[in-house]
Amino acid sequence: MPARLVIEGGVPLRGRVAVGAAKNATLPALAAALLTSEPVTLTNVPDLGDIRTMLRLLETHGAAVARDGRRVEVRVPRVANDEASYELVSTMRASVLVLGPLVARHGSARVALPGGCAIGVRPIDQHLKGLAKLGADIAIENGYVVARARRLRGARITTDLVTVTGTENLMMAAVLADGTTIIENAAREPEVADLAALLTSMGAKLDGVGTGHLEIQGVPALAGATHQVIADRIEAGTLITAGAITAGDVTVTDVAPEHLEAVLAKLDECGVDLDVGPAWVRVRGPARPGAADVTTSPFPGFPTDMQAQLMTLLGLADGQSRVTETIFENRFMHAAELVRLGARIETDGAIAVVRGVAAYQGAPVMASDLRASAALVLAGLAARGTTEVSRIYHLDRGYEHLEQKLAALGARIERTSR
Ligand code: EPZ
């Protein structure tokens, strides 16, 4: 029987817990190592499924990877192979992040089209249009993107929508292009800014980081660097919500509260008691949260990666809430599982109406994607009785030892594989 998490709910969480480095900042930072022949070292890499996949992918491109605990050095003296196979890309869509660096450094790339995933079709048309603007010849051959460019040249790119990895791919292509690149409508997520910080320490010239208007002055070559990855704001938001939903008293440390403003504001609106320090957040949960409406949007708006976790809290609220998901077209799969626990949720396209109930009843539930699995764990922590969450391989892609962190706060949770 594959691994599951078994949770005895109803325990108010208490204590302190530290947040790890951001998965979605580590992945582009690792891909950036392709841009130079010198070593790029990340000092605090989390031990996650997706990170292991990215390191394996980089090795197929010719990278030498040296891991010492959380310290990871990636050195790509030369690109030995420009292909990112369907076998690897289909297990992790973020593999597409090697596309920009490979074309910029090596002049060519063959990257499998990622295909869809549980939460949506997730095309990469914006990545490809931007690379074409930078002078790459782009073709789609047998399910692969084939991109070639002797030398990329700076261009003005306006993406049709805000795309996080699209912005990251285009940044990594532009830093070695000949001339200046402008990216309008760029993503402003902290993970994009963290990649920009790494690229700058490698010798890249970027302006406008954190705004929707990026200016990148191409340079002939980049050097290596050592970089500490930012804290994972979504793990932080998930742990804070765990304190809130169990009416506990938890201090989450090693966070960047300025990356969590929209999440903290929404929890405050739900009656959650928050104290915010320079690098910590203390959360005391109310006996019962209040209802609140929420709409996901690109940073600095409410993050789509926290939508499932907030919906779980709203499912226990005293009143009715509306959840509007504007980023992905199919990101309500956790709703049907929450209904199995007694929630009252009706979804219609991008909108979910949540009528709060007094309590969840424990039951077996099934994870469908990374953040939905975290939401089901939160529901189990609050539910009366036992909740079993299956298909937790989704969880292991993006949360490092979540059950250990929760158990250290008093949760009755264990991983079983009987
Ligand atoms: C990143 O995905 C994150 N992944 C996602 O986190 C996150 O949910 C998402 O950004 C939104 O914040 C990583 O950073 C590795 P997008 P990404 O391109 O870059 C559409 C998690 O749980 N779109 O910003 O793939 C797309 O379909 C994951 O850790 C196009 O149409 O997301 C989506 O509807 C899940 N064409 C919207 O834009 C494109 O070329 C935003 O996607 C690109 C995107």
Side-chain angles (χ1 to χ4, degrees):
M1 173 81 97
R4 282 167 302 140
L5 287 179
V6 180
I7 306 162
E8 291 297 327
V11 178
L13 300 188
R14 297 206 191 300
R16 295 169 70 86
V17 61
V19 169
K23 165 179 82 82
N24 290 350
T26 305
L27 292 170
L30 289 170
L34 288 164
L35 289 166
T36 175
S37 58
E38 295 181 17
V40 171
T41 300
L42 302 182
T43 60
N44 57 333
V45 174
D47 181 22
L48 298 172
D50 276 5
I51 304 301
R52 290 191 291 274
T53 303
M54 178 60 85
L55 291 173
R56 250 196 338 272
L57 173 61
L58 292 174
E59 286 175 329
T60 68
H61 294 311
V65 173
R67 278 198 92 145
D68 172 12
R70 290 179 187 286
R71 192 178 179 82
V72 174
E73 179 191 278
V74 181
R75 183 196 297 254
V76 188
R78 53 181 282 279
V79 173
N81 164 25
D82 72 353
E83 178 169 315
S85 71
Y86 179 63
E87 179 246 338
L88 269 173
V89 175
S90 57
T91 61
M92 185 187 65
R93 330 172 21 76
S95 309
V96 77
L97 283 166
V98 302
L99 181 57
L102 282 173
V103 179
R105 166 84 185 283
H106 182 66
S108 71
R110 274 177 54 80
V111 176
L113 277 168
C117 78
I119 61 178
V121 173
R122 299 185 71 182
I124 58 167
D125 56 306
Q126 300 298 313
H127 303 232
L128 304 183
K129 281 166 69 175
L131 283 174
K133 289 282 278 183
L134 291 168
D137 295 322
I138 305 283
I140 307 292
E141 292 169 9
N142 306 102
Y144 279 75
V145 175
V146 181
R148 287 191 185 83
R150 259 181 314 289
R151 177 93 198 270
L152 293 173
R153 58 179 185 282
R156 184 181 195 84
I157 299 166
T158 302
T159 54
D160 298 334
L161 45 77
V162 174
T163 160
V164 173
T165 52
T167 302
E168 291 165 345
N169 241 333
L170 296 175
M171 274 166 61
M172 290 192 281
V175 291
L176 289 178
D178 186 11
T180 302
T181 296
I182 308 277
I183 303 177
E184 287 293 2
N185 207 15
R188 299 164 56 189
E189 271 66 7
E191 294 76 25
V192 177
D194 198 42
L195 173 64
L198 168 60
L199 292 172
T200 301
S201 64
M202 293 165 69
K205 295 188 177 1
L206 301 105
D207 285 310
V209 175
T211 76
H213 174 98
L214 288 179
E215 286 203 26
I216 300 158
Q217 182 66 43
V219 294
L222 290 175
T226 297
H227 180 72
Q228 177 173 321
V229 176
I230 55 168
D232 192 318
R233 62 193 167 101
I234 304 302
E235 182 190 16
T238 305
L239 292 168
I240 291 166
T241 307
I245 204 169
T246 58
D249 182 351
V250 174
T251 298
V252 180
T253 64
D254 301 10
V255 306
E258 66 275 17
H259 296 163
L260 276 167
E261 305 247 337
V263 173
L264 297 179
K266 195 51 69 178
L267 291 172
D268 177 66
E269 190 182 337
C270 294
V272 176
D273 185 4
L274 296 162
D275 290 314
V276 180
W280 53 266
V281 174
R282 180 181 180 184
V283 50
R284 277 167 282 188
R288 186 171 188 192
D293 295 338
V294 65
T295 298
T296 62
S297 67
F299 195 86
F302 190 92
T304 175
D305 289 352
M306 276 298 301
Q307 179 257 107
Q309 297 91 313
L310 184 78
M311 183 187 284
T312 304
L313 181 70
L314 295 172
L316 293 171
D318 179 11
Q320 175 173 305
S321 308
R322 277 167 71 90
V323 177
T324 306
E325 172 56 62
T326 71
I327 306 294
F328 290 108
E329 66 269 28
N330 187 33
R331 205 172 197 176
F332 284 149
M333 280 163 301
H334 43 282
E337 296 305 303
L338 291 172
V339 167
R340 285 185 46 69
L341 299 173
R344 292 178 59 203
I345 304 171
E346 284 159 31
T347 66
D348 177 9
I351 294 174
V353 175
V354 183
R355 291 180 180 78
V357 296
Y360 291 138
Q361 313 299 327
V365 287
M366 195 176 284
S368 52
D369 61 85
L370 170 54
R371 305 304 173 182
S373 46
L376 296 176
V377 171
L378 295 180
L381 292 173
R384 292 190 185 132
T386 306
T387 298
E388 290 197 10
V389 183
S390 59
R391 300 191 179 177
I392 54 171
Y393 54 84
H394 290 293
L395 191 73
D396 296 339
R397 296 186 50 172
Y399 287 92
E400 189 179 24
H401 311 318
L402 183 62
E403 73 269 18
Q404 290 168 14
K405 292 184 176 179
L406 294 171
L409 295 171
R412 290 193 298 252
I413 180 171
E414 63 171 6
R415 180 179 291 249
T416 68
S417 51
R418 61 175 162 74

